[in-house]
Amino acid sequence: MVWKAVKKSNKREYAVKVMDKATIFNLRSVDCILNEHKILTSIRTPFIVNIHYAFQDVRNVYLVSPFMQGGDLRYHMETMKKR
């Protein structure tokens, strides 16, 4: 699930990707999530939206990136398949 959030100090909009830890473990996706974090925090290119913050609580993992209106690449690829 992705939420839109606004940082109070600078009024910037961010996308907050929320992932349930239990689901990550059940799907054996821990390595995928760690790789996503590693790649999106290290690569610098105008074609990929980077992660600015990552944190967790007891139940969820959160990845925070700049908000980009219009959806992610997967959404657009699925939309194109249906045409």
Side-chain angles (χ1 to χ4, degrees), residues 20-71:
D20 180 65
K21 286 182 178 180
T23 302
I24 292 169
F25 286 115
N26 289 338
L27 295 176
R28 297 184 176 145
S29 299
V30 174
D31 288 337
C32 291
I33 302 305
L34 292 173
N35 285 334
E36 179 179 4
H37 175 264
K38 183 178 177 180
I39 291 167
L40 294 178
T41 55
S42 62
I43 291 178
R44 296 288 177 239
T45 173
F47 304 109
I48 296 176
V49 179
N50 294 97
I51 293 174
H52 286 237
Y53 310 100
F55 56 95
Q56 61 182 323
D57 61 18
V58 174
R59 188 174 190 168
N60 297 307
V61 174
Y62 304 87
L63 301 178
V64 182
S65 59
F67 179 74
M68 301 299 232
Q69 188 77 29

